[in-house]
Amino acid sequence: MWKDHTPPPFKQMPDSYAFLVRHSILWRLSYEITQPKFFHVPYLGFCGLFMRAGMNRAFDTYQPDLVVSVHPLMQHVPIRILHQRVKTGRMAPCNFATVVTDFTTCHNTWFHPSATRCFVPTEYCAMLARQNGMVDQQIIQHGLPIRPTFSRALPSRKALRKSLGLDTHLPTVLLVGGGEGMGALEATVDQLDLQLGSQAQVVVICGRNKKLLERLSAKACPGGLSILASGFVDNIHEWMGASDVIITKAGPGTIAEALISGLPILLNGNVPCQEEGNIPYVIDNGVGTFETDPVKIAAILKKWLLGDAEDKEAFAKMGARSKELGRPAAVYQIVNDLAELADTPDVQFGPARMSVRNGYKGYNGGDKISDTNTAKTCVKVA
């Protein structure tokens, strides 16, 4: 919605994220300045003056039964537009749902008291929603929605390693660099070779970093470490299932996937602001630790994977706690709830509340927009 139905320069704003993240001072500045309500409410209200024409045309085209936001900047503007449309009779009563895709630390723009529902992954996010004016009836906590493949049973770890071309007996480290292959990945591999050598193997997911992929693919390890490097993969659930531990930045999606996979997590970096809270979440729940120095990262893994019996027992318990925190069914639970929201307008919360003035009974009275067998339209604003 933001990129396809708003005018310049607003439609280019999502593309600035990668640039801002690479320049962390700029990202932190923009994040912190827009955090308070006294700034972001009037700012987004001003943006809405220029964005409403395109969004109105989109809503006229799609006539949604439900609007779902998965982006922190897509609450205030579309909710205000939907309120006005329902209030004036321009469209039928419609629900608005926010699905928060950050894990702990969240920008305040994720939470709008006039949303019908807000799906949050953790209790910390639920607390932030309450602090921003939402009530418990609006807040639903299922977990972070992760691709359905993570809810399906996998072959044994040994079978997965064999199918993926890995040694079936060596401890396996999964090193993930995100979409851009960011972080000190090559330096970490060098230290793993130095400290673990032939007693382990490492899988490196390089993302779009083709130069790193080429270097690692041609790399000779004097210590005997076995390296398997890859670019983008569409079977990350299998690589996680084949691994003993994961090294990754503190991204919410990868953390949630690692928890479902029962992997101890070694965080080696984070995007400022919204990923900072994920670090204490991992540490405080006893499922991993945080370290940025490749030398120390390798030392930690040596202790976890090759340590004495006490070290290995602690490592095994870490994996068990990780598995307990995983929420593989979250995506299905969220979708089921969204389907109900698409079927019945809730006049207590959200845009459908505006319809009360027109005498529409809605959710409380049990009346529905249309027969439940009729196909519904859901618009994702992101």
Side-chain angles (χ1 to χ4, degrees):
M1 178 71 85
W2 190 288
K3 293 191 69 172
D4 295 340
H5 299 284
T6 63
F10 303 100
K11 66 190 307 176
Q12 283 83 28
M13 287 176 66
D15 297 329
S16 67
Y17 175 76
F19 171 82
L20 290 172
V21 167
R22 286 195 298 269
H23 301 81
S24 59
I25 294 178
L26 293 177
W27 174 248
R28 185 176 292 278
L29 183 64
S30 63
Y31 188 98
E32 298 293 350
I33 285 177
T34 57
Q35 184 77 293
K37 282 186 178 181
F38 69 77
F39 185 93
H40 71 245
V41 171
Y43 168 71
L44 291 171
F46 175 76
C47 292
L49 296 176
F50 301 92
M51 298 165 67
R52 62 188 179 189
M55 287 194 175
N56 268 313
R57 286 193 295 270
F59 289 139
D60 284 337
T61 300
Y62 296 113
Q63 289 294 313
D65 299 292
L66 172 67
V67 178
V68 180
S69 170
V70 294
H71 193 282
L73 294 181
M74 290 303 284
Q75 273 62 239
H76 293 70
V77 176
I79 285 176
R80 177 177 293 186
I81 293 171
L82 289 169
H83 271 224
Q84 188 63 23
R85 289 173 63 86
V86 173
K87 181 180 178 180
T88 58
R90 188 170 176 178
M91 67 182 292
C94 173
N95 290 327
F96 184 98
T98 299
V99 180
V100 178
T101 56
D102 284 324
F103 209 55
T104 52
T105 311
C106 295
H107 199 277
N108 286 332
T109 51
W110 271 115
F111 309 107
H112 196 297
S114 292
T116 312
R117 296 289 186 275
C118 182
F119 295 88
V120 297
T122 59
E123 180 55 38
Y124 186 85
C125 285
M127 177 194 70
L128 293 176
R130 296 185 194 100
Q131 290 178 355
N132 281 274
M134 305 194 82
V135 298
D136 287 344
Q137 297 96 310
Q138 294 172 282
I139 304 165
I140 301 175
Q141 183 181 333
H142 290 313
L144 197 74
I146 296 300
R147 67 197 82 181
T149 52
F150 277 88
S151 66
R152 299 168 189 162
L154 286 173
S156 68
R157 180 170 289 172
K158 183 177 181 179
L160 283 171
R161 288 179 180 174
K162 185 176 181 180
S163 67
L164 294 170
L166 297 169
D167 188 294
T168 58
H169 301 291
L170 284 177
T172 304
V173 178
L174 180 61
L175 179 55
V176 179
E180 302 299 328
M182 297 171 63
L185 302 187
E186 192 167 7
T188 301
V189 170
D190 289 339
Q191 285 301 316
L192 291 174
D193 179 51
L194 181 65
Q195 298 190 45
L196 278 70
S198 61
Q199 299 180 82
Q201 59 189 339
V202 60
V203 176
V204 188
I205 307 299
C206 303
R208 284 182 285 267
N209 196 330
K210 294 182 179 180
K211 292 183 178 179
L212 175 64
L213 176 59
E214 291 172 359
R215 290 198 304 271
L216 290 177
S217 298
K219 194 175 189 65
C221 292
L225 180 72
S226 175
I227 303 174
L228 195 157
S230 178
F232 268 115
V233 297
D234 57 8
N235 62 335
I236 190 65
H237 60 294
E238 293 182 345
W239 290 107
M240 287 191 181
S243 300
D244 294 287
V245 62
I246 185 170
I247 306 173
T248 179
K249 76 178 188 70
T254 306
I255 291 175
E257 292 168 351
L259 294 176
I260 292 171
S261 303
L263 290 178
I265 304 167
L266 204 165
L267 300 175
N268 65 349
N270 64 281
V271 172
C273 303
Q274 77 265 30
E275 290 183 0
E276 289 172 353
N278 298 344
I279 298 169
Y281 178 87
V282 166
I283 295 172
D284 294 346
N285 281 288
V287 297
T289 190
F290 176 77
E291 182 54 65
T292 59
D293 183 351
V295 175
K296 295 180 180 178
I297 287 173
I300 291 169
L301 289 184
K302 183 177 181 180
K303 181 179 180 180
W304 283 358
L305 298 174
L306 307 178
D308 58 25
E310 186 177 344
D311 292 329
K312 291 182 179 179
E313 182 181 1
F315 180 70
K317 289 181 178 179
M318 203 181 302
R321 286 192 295 269
S322 185
K323 192 75 172 179
E324 290 174 2
L325 283 176
R327 296 289 179 265
V331 65
Y332 299 105
Q333 293 167 331
I334 292 171
V335 168
N336 286 338
D337 287 350
L338 291 177
E340 291 184 9
L341 287 172
D343 185 58
T344 307
D346 184 342
V347 297
Q348 287 185 301
F349 307 105
R353 186 178 56 181
M354 294 294 101
S355 66
V356 173
R357 298 181 182 180
N358 296 330
Y360 185 86
K361 295 180 182 179
Y363 181 77
N364 289 336
D367 291 348
K368 299 187 176 183
I369 295 174
S370 59
D371 187 87
T372 55
N373 292 323
T374 304
K376 301 298 178 182
T377 302
C378 173
V379 171
K380 183 178 79 169
V381 288

